[in-house]
């Protein structure tokens, strides 16, 4: 088992719009064909519109159903609150512990060489945004096979897409910690990765990330419970998605 203490996470040193670190060579080959569950390529979707508060071990039903997740928490529940439309989930406060959703690894959640996007609608204040928060991620910083992640560090959203060719990091130009709803998305299309805020591209890195397929689960709202570096999301979240076009 790999040591959790050795995990590293990206650190935002300045409000840069783009950054890229090349870590390897492009893996040749083509993507593995797989039928998309929906015509738009949706492989995972959570809306959170119905049901009571979610506690440790509860199922979070996804669309498609095979992408459902499980709540992992060290105490607090994920409570329902007003969302973008309908209901959202309210994640724990700064002093309330940890809670995430874990979706088991499936090959259908790995983009390989295909175009893909992932994101969520979020709402949080400047006080809630202290430190680092992860919204959606699959894989650790040093995960064999790569990683994709949407993060919010000190209120500033950013994307990480780490494949066989490069670790590509795209950082937003400004904080979104204003107490309003914002839709955040990371998108890889061709040889570039973009960050979208409320449907508009706000930053792009023109770089080839390469093949991306790992054996990690998808975590929503933070990292695996029990790690010393949680990156716990604080605030409300709605409309989580992962889409892969193949």
């Amino acid at each position: 088992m790999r040591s959790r203490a050795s995990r590293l996470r990206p650190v935002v040193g300045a409000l840069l719009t783009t950054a890229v670190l090349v870590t390897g060579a492009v893996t040749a080959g083509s993507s593995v064909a797989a039928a998309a569950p929906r015509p738009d390529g949706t492989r995972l979707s959570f809306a959170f519109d119905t049901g009571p508060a979610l506690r440790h071990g509860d199922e979070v039903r996804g669309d498609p159903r095979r992408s459902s997740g499980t709540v992992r928490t060290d105490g607090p529940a994920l409570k329902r609150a007003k969302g973008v439309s309908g209901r959202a989930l309210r994640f724990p406060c700064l002093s309330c512990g940890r809670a995430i959703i874990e979706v088991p690894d499936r090959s259908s959640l790995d983009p390989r060489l295909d175009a893909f996007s992932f994101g969520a609608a979020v709402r949080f204040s400047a006080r809630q945004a202290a430190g680092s928060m992860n919204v959606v991620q699959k894989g650790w910083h040093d995960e064999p096979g790569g990683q994709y992640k949407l993060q919010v560090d000190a209120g500033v959203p950013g994307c990480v897409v780490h494949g066989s060719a490069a670790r590509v990091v795209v950082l937003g130009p400004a904080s979104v910690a204003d107490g309003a709803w914002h839709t955040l998305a990371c998108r890889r299309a061709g040889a570039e990765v973009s960050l979208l805020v409320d449907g508009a591209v706000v930053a792009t890195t023109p770089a080839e990330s390469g093949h991306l397929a790992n054996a990690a689960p998808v975590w929503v709202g933070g990292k695996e419970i029990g790690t010393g570096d949680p990156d716990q999301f604080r605030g409300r979240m709605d409309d989580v998605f992962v889409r892969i076009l193949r």
Side-chain angles (χ1 to χ4, degrees):
M1 181 178 293
R2 292 172 289 135
S3 171
R4 297 308 192 217
S6 66
R7 310 293 185 186
L8 300 176
R9 59 177 172 81
V11 177
V12 179
L15 300 186
L16 304 176
T17 57
T18 60
V20 60
L21 173 64
V22 177
T23 59
V26 176
T27 297
S30 60
S31 61
V32 177
R38 298 215 309 241
D40 65 354
T42 297
R43 304 304 175 100
L44 181 154
S45 177
F46 292 130
F48 311 127
D49 285 330
T50 61
L54 294 165
R55 303 185 183 280
H56 184 77
D58 285 351
E59 181 189 50
V60 185
R61 185 164 181 172
D63 179 17
R65 182 65 183 270
R66 64 177 176 272
S67 292
S68 295
T70 303
V71 175
R72 306 297 186 195
T73 173
D74 60 11
L78 292 171
K79 299 180 180 179
R80 308 282 177 169
K82 185 177 180 180
V84 176
S85 60
R87 309 293 284 174
L89 284 187
R90 185 169 66 236
F91 282 75
C93 71
L94 287 168
S95 60
C96 297
R98 297 189 55 200
I100 64 170
I101 299 169
E102 182 177 273
V103 180
D105 173 50
R106 296 185 63 88
S107 61
S108 63
L109 296 171
D110 292 321
R112 300 178 179 88
L113 290 170
D114 298 306
F116 77 112
S117 61
F118 55 100
V122 297
R123 175 184 173 182
F124 54 89
S125 66
R127 188 181 71 85
Q128 291 171 310
S132 301
M133 302 191 299
N134 289 351
V135 181
V136 179
Q137 77 178 88
K138 190 175 194 292
W140 296 85
H141 176 92
D142 56 353
E143 190 75 44
Q147 175 197 47
Y148 59 83
K149 176 171 70 167
L150 169 60
Q151 64 190 31
V152 184
D153 287 355
V156 179
C159 304
V160 177
V161 177
H162 184 187
S164 59
R167 180 180 181 82
V168 183
V169 182
V170 184
L171 304 179
S175 172
V176 294
D178 56 7
W181 280 104
H182 294 284
T183 300
L184 307 180
C186 301
R187 182 179 69 196
R188 181 177 75 178
E192 66 179 28
V193 178
S194 300
L195 168 67
L196 292 81
V197 177
D198 298 327
V201 175
V202 298
T204 298
T205 294
E208 179 66 60
S209 56
H211 188 274
L212 200 173
N214 62 42
V218 172
W219 290 313
V220 175
K223 293 179 181 175
E224 183 179 21
I225 298 296
T227 61
D229 189 12
D231 289 340
Q232 175 68 54
F233 179 78
R234 314 288 182 181
R236 299 185 190 185
M237 189 183 302
D238 202 355
D239 298 334
V240 177
F241 72 91
V242 175
R243 299 186 183 113
I244 302 174
L245 298 175
R246 58 173 68 123

